[in-house]
């Protein structure tokens, strides 16, 4: 399974495609912050951050787009060709990176990435960027901005262009209470075409282990109008997490288990009513601290087997990344090599 794609394509996302543009609901255009992994450009749920303070007996459930994150981080990020990433910290609050990618499948490219971090104490602890910009050699631009309006409210804006054309403009407001999270997103509003997509997320901690919630998507256009509801639930144990999303568009179930300090495993099961496809994936991560290596592997029901090895080149400030993916059904081999400096 290609891990460069967004999360499970729900029916709501398929509706977005019918308008001629792509806006993944619940996960806004995540930028890759290091080779081999795809991370959200804004703070993920970490201990002691401003978003994880507990004012009651129940914990905050986090964001809707982070429900399956533990499982997805176990799977390797598919790579191809040769990639060189050079990271440079210019100051305490400003970072840049240069990415050179040589590929035999897609056109070779160069990408410039810049981050401006927030200067308050809480943001330093989480390393949360306030502004992010990324432009590639074709002229396409990704821009993100995050603003903490108060202790519990944050606003986020995303803009994306393909060469000279705007393809995405998205605005989100999120409120995190002591034991719940509520968010509203407006994507690609167009007054002339009378089209807009509105998404509402809500998660509630029912117990220290159980989280329940849902996603409501409303879309309006000249040709059609409607709404889709997706229900979600997550149950956590001492060293495992089980998550389920289910709606009219299909279902997405995942299970994450941490066997010990070195080994983590994840299982995903996805059903799409639009494509009438069912996929099953198994992934694992093995860390070898003594050797400064991390290996991630996966196998899925489409006969795709792959693995990525990350090796820290101590004492150099660099990481070597090697990946191989084999599609037995299509008889294809994909090999990638990357170096992350800084």
């Amino acid at each position: 399974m290609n891990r460069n794609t967004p999360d499970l394509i729900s029916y709501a996302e398929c509706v977005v495609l019918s308008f001629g543009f792509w806006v993944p609901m619940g996960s806004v255009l995540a930028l890759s912050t290091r080779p081999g992994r795809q991370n959200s450009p804004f703070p993920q749920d970490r201990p002691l951050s401003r978003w994880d303070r507990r004012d009651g007996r129940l914990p905050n459930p986090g964001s809707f787009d982070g429900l399956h994150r533990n499982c997805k981080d176990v799977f390797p990020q598919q790579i191809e060709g040769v990639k060189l990433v050079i990271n440079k910290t210019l100051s305490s609050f400003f970072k840049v990176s240069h990415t050179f990618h040589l590929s035999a499948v897609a056109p070779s490219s160069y990408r410039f990435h810049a981050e401006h971090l927030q200067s308050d104490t809480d943001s330093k602890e989480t390393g949360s960027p306030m502004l992010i910009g990324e432009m590639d050699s074709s002229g396409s631009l990704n821009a993100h901005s995050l603003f903490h309006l108060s202790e519990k409210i944050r606003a986020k804006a995303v803009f994306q262009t393909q060469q000279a054309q705007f393809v995405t403009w998205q605005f989100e407001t999120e409120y995190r209470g002591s034991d719940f999270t509520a968010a509203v997103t407006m994507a690609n509003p167009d007054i002339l075409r009378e089209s807009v997509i509105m998404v509402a997320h809500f998660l509630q901690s029912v117990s220290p282990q159980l989280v329940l919630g849902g996603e409501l998507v409303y879309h309006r256009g000249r040709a059609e109008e409607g709404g889709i509801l997706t229900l979600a639930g997550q149950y956590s144990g001492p060293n495992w997490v089980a998550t389920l999303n289910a709606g009219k568009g299909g279902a997405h179930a995942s299970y994450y288990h941490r066997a010990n300090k070195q080994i983590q495993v994840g299982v995903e099961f996805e059903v799409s009513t639009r494509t009438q496809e069912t996929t099953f994936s198994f992934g694992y991560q093995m860390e070898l601290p003594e050797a400064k290596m991390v290996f991630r592997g996966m196998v899925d029901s489409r006969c795709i087997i792959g693995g990525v090895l990350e090796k820290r080149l101590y004492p150099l400030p660099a990481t070597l990344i090697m990946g191989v993916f084999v599609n037995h059904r299509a008889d294809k081999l994909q090999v990638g090599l990357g170096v992350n400096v800084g």
Side-chain angles (χ1 to χ4, degrees), residues 104-331:
V105 178
S108 301
S109 62
Y110 163 77
R111 187 174 63 195
F112 176 76
H113 178 98
E115 293 185 10
H116 183 275
L117 305 183
Q118 301 189 54
S119 58
D120 56 274
T121 305
D122 288 333
S123 295
K124 286 183 189 178
E125 292 177 356
T126 61
S128 61
M130 181 178 181
L131 297 173
I132 286 183
E134 186 173 276
M135 177 173 284
D136 60 23
S137 53
S138 66
S140 299
L141 172 69
N142 286 329
H144 302 248
S145 62
L146 174 67
F147 300 96
H148 292 279
L149 304 180
S150 69
E151 281 294 310
K152 297 183 178 181
I153 301 176
R154 69 175 180 178
K156 183 162 45 178
V158 177
F159 300 92
Q160 183 186 37
T161 67
Q162 290 288 348
Q163 296 180 353
Q165 296 182 348
F166 270 95
V167 294
T168 299
W169 49 99
Q170 182 171 320
F171 309 93
E172 177 182 344
T173 301
E174 183 179 76
Y175 180 86
R176 295 204 180 189
S178 59
D179 60 356
F180 72 93
T181 299
V184 178
T185 302
M186 179 175 63
N188 288 40
D190 193 328
I191 299 177
L192 298 180
R193 297 182 180 179
E194 299 180 354
S195 64
V196 68
I197 298 175
M198 300 291 295
V199 183
H201 293 144
F202 183 80
L203 290 178
Q204 173 70 55
S205 294
V206 180
S207 71
Q209 294 80 29
L210 179 62
V211 174
L212 298 177
E215 175 189 68
L216 178 61
V217 179
Y218 169 79
H219 62 95
R220 176 183 174 86
R222 291 181 177 178
E224 57 183 341
E225 179 181 9
I228 296 92
L229 176 65
T230 301
L231 301 179
Q234 183 180 80
Y235 192 87
S236 305
N239 57 352
W240 58 272
V241 179
T243 309
L244 173 64
N245 291 17
K248 186 177 180 180
H252 181 193
S254 68
Y255 176 78
Y256 164 83
H257 189 95
R258 187 177 186 92
N260 51 48
K261 294 182 178 180
Q262 288 77 36
I263 300 177
Q264 305 174 55
V265 297
V267 179
E268 280 192 312
F269 181 76
E270 302 180 8
V271 179
S272 175
T273 58
R274 182 183 68 92
T275 60
Q276 300 296 316
E277 290 183 352
T278 300
T279 59
F280 172 84
S281 305
F282 171 78
Y284 62 94
Q285 174 179 308
M286 182 170 57
E287 300 182 24
L288 301 175
E290 296 82 3
K292 295 179 174 54
M293 290 194 309
V294 177
F295 180 81
R296 297 179 177 90
M298 61 86 65
V299 59
D300 65 16
S301 57
R302 294 180 292 183
C303 301
I304 298 178
I305 300 176
V308 173
L309 175 66
E310 299 183 11
K311 167 65 176 177
R312 180 73 176 179
L313 303 178
Y314 185 82
L316 299 176
T319 302
L320 177 65
I321 302 172
M322 298 177 289
V324 177
F325 289 82
V326 181
N327 188 333
H328 292 279
R329 183 175 298 178
D331 195 21

Side-chain angles (χ1 to χ4, degrees), residues 93-111:
F93 313 115
F94 192 66
K95 300 178 181 180
V96 298
S97 67
H98 307 268
T99 302
F100 304 87
H101 185 202
L102 302 178
S103 173
V105 178
S108 301
S109 62
Y110 163 77
R111 187 174 63 195

Side-chain angles (χ1 to χ4, degrees), residues 59-79:
N60 181 273
S63 298
F64 191 89
D65 63 337
L67 288 176
H68 297 275
R69 182 172 295 150
N70 288 331
C71 181
K72 288 188 174 297
D73 285 346
V74 171
F75 286 79
Q77 181 76 16
Q78 192 166 351
I79 62 175

Side-chain angles (χ1 to χ4, degrees), residues 40-88:
S40 171
F42 299 120
Q44 300 178 5
D45 301 323
R46 301 177 182 176
L48 302 180
S49 72
R50 68 167 68 205
W51 301 112
D52 291 323
R53 293 175 180 172
R54 302 179 180 181
D55 300 328
R57 292 178 297 176
L58 296 178
N60 181 273
S63 298
F64 191 89
D65 63 337
L67 288 176
H68 297 275
R69 182 172 295 150
N70 288 331
C71 181
K72 288 188 174 297
D73 285 346
V74 171
F75 286 79
Q77 181 76 16
Q78 192 166 351
I79 62 175
E80 186 274 331
V82 179
K83 180 180 290 186
L84 172 63
V85 181
I86 302 176
N87 302 293
K88 178 66 175 178

